[in-house]
Amino acid sequence: DDLSASHQNIEANGGHWILKLNKMLACFAVLSCCMVLTESLRHTSQHINPDRHAAGTFVKALEFKRRLRVCNAYPSIAAIDVYKSKGKSLNGDAPMGYKTCKDFDTPLKAGDKLEFKIGDANAGTFSVSELPNNDAVLFLVIHRHDTLSTAVAFESHVFANLLNAQVAIIDTYKGAAKSEPRIMDAPKDGKASRSEELRFESVVAVNPGVYDVALVGLDGKTKAKNSLVARNRESFIILRTGVEAKMGPSYPQELVVYPKLDPSALHSSAGPRVMMLSMLAILSCVFWA
């Protein structure tokens, strides 16, 4: 009986040690797997890190294309130079004469100052307050402030990046003369042309095409006339210029249109013109109403 009990006790103890040994082996196996997994991840991360930096090149800061368009509507025989934040002249060795406009591809940011000079004399300074977060044309015109002094004033506008042609109509004339701007189809094959009244200090959308723009006085007579070739994805300026000066020379009413395009440039817009006709007609009604 003692031997039998002793044998049973040994078997029980042996089973207990076998169970403990199995648990130890299982723990060792798990620990080994963890070590292998950790080492694998460590080596994997060494390969992933360079790829992670390479993947970062897909994320770039947005860069917007902004054109600065400047017009000189200040009546004077002296030309104007444009400077940005006391840097070099934007127009180089070609000062801007009266009734001229020019586009500049120069980076701009809020806080920049545009200085206008006649020779070494400072004519005026325009501060850029804010810029749109999209492609745009930033328009700025310098003109006479009043009929008495020689002080300058500025008008500015930001053209949105739209498909249709946009036209800004701005009155820089100083004097008592009254006239209204009108746009009409250019004469063609003796057909009667449509005519629409425009409004100063407004922006309208027009169909691609060749137009005449005119200043019509209260007496119904045309005081000034110019042509406009409108093309999709382009922005245009119509300026009424001149001054009835109380001191110094006076300048008559005139119409400035910029940019001036060749009518042949419309051939590439012939397709979009048909497709956009109804939409532009609605836009025109909204703006001209």
Side-chain angles (χ1 to χ4, degrees):
D1 294 337
D2 292 338
L3 289 173
S4 177
S6 176
H7 179 71
Q8 292 176 358
N9 187 42
I10 290 173
E11 287 182 349
N13 289 336
H16 176 70
W17 283 106
I18 290 172
L19 180 61
K20 290 181 67 177
L21 180 60
N22 288 339
K23 289 182 178 180
M24 291 177 63
L25 289 173
C27 290
F28 179 76
V30 172
L31 180 61
S32 299
C33 288
C34 290
M35 292 178 65
V36 171
L37 180 60
T38 302
E39 185 68 13
S40 175
L41 288 175
R42 186 177 68 82
H43 285 293
T44 302
S45 66
Q46 291 177 355
H47 294 290
I48 289 176
N49 283 342
D51 294 338
R52 182 192 62 186
H53 293 305
T57 59
F58 287 98
V59 180
K60 297 181 180 180
L62 292 175
E63 295 182 359
F64 302 113
K65 183 179 180 181
R66 303 185 182 111
R67 276 184 293 159
L68 172 64
R69 176 169 295 170
V70 177
C71 288
N72 177 14
Y74 188 88
S76 174
I77 59 173
I80 288 178
D81 289 300
V82 185
Y83 296 83
K84 188 184 78 171
S85 299
K86 297 183 179 180
K88 294 182 178 180
S89 172
L90 295 180
N91 50 275
D93 297 328
M96 297 179 61
Y98 175 48
K99 300 186 298 180
T100 62
C101 300
K102 191 171 183 180
D103 287 356
F104 301 100
D105 289 323
T106 180
L108 287 174
K109 63 181 183 298
D112 281 344
K113 296 184 183 297
L114 298 172
E115 298 181 354
F116 293 77
K117 293 184 177 182
I118 300 176
D120 294 329
N122 186 15
T125 301
F126 180 86
S127 297
V128 179
S129 58
E130 59 182 356
L131 295 170
N133 292 321
N134 53 264
D135 295 346
V137 175
L138 314 175
F139 169 64
L140 179 64
V141 57
I142 181 173
H143 58 91
R144 185 87 168 247
H145 183 272
D146 52 61
T147 61
L148 291 173
S149 69
T150 58
V152 304
F154 296 96
E155 296 280 350
S156 63
H157 177 71
V158 178
F159 287 99
N161 185 26
L162 302 179
L163 172 63
N164 55 282
Q166 304 172 75
V167 183
I169 307 96
I170 298 177
D171 187 9
T172 67
Y173 180 82
K174 294 297 180 288
K178 303 295 182 182
S179 60
E180 66 177 25
R182 299 191 68 85
I183 184 169
M184 59 210 76
D185 294 320
K188 184 178 181 181
D189 300 330
K191 295 181 180 179
S193 61
R194 297 169 299 173
S195 178
E196 295 279 354
E197 179 185 351
L198 299 175
R199 295 178 181 177
F200 287 122
E201 322 310 328
S202 69
V203 180
V204 299
V206 298
N207 292 324
V210 181
Y211 301 94
D212 285 335
V213 289
L215 282 176
V216 180
L218 298 179
D219 56 3
K221 295 181 179 180
T222 299
K223 306 300 179 181
K225 198 171 184 179
N226 208 327
S227 62
L228 166 67
V229 178
R231 182 179 64 184
N232 279 339
R233 297 192 181 279
E234 185 59 88
S235 52
F236 299 87
I237 309 294
I238 296 178
L239 296 174
R240 180 195 184 205
T241 63
V243 63
E244 294 178 15
K246 301 298 183 182
M247 296 181 61
S250 294
Y251 290 77
Q253 298 182 73
E254 294 184 80
L255 274 178
V256 174
V257 175
Y258 184 86
K260 301 288 284 185
L261 303 181
D262 191 295
S264 62
L266 293 177
H267 294 319
S268 59
S269 302
R273 178 180 182 181
V274 175
M275 291 185 292
M276 292 297 296
L277 185 58
S278 58
M279 183 178 294
L280 290 180
I282 294 174
L283 288 172
S284 299
C285 290
V286 171
F287 283 117
W288 285 332

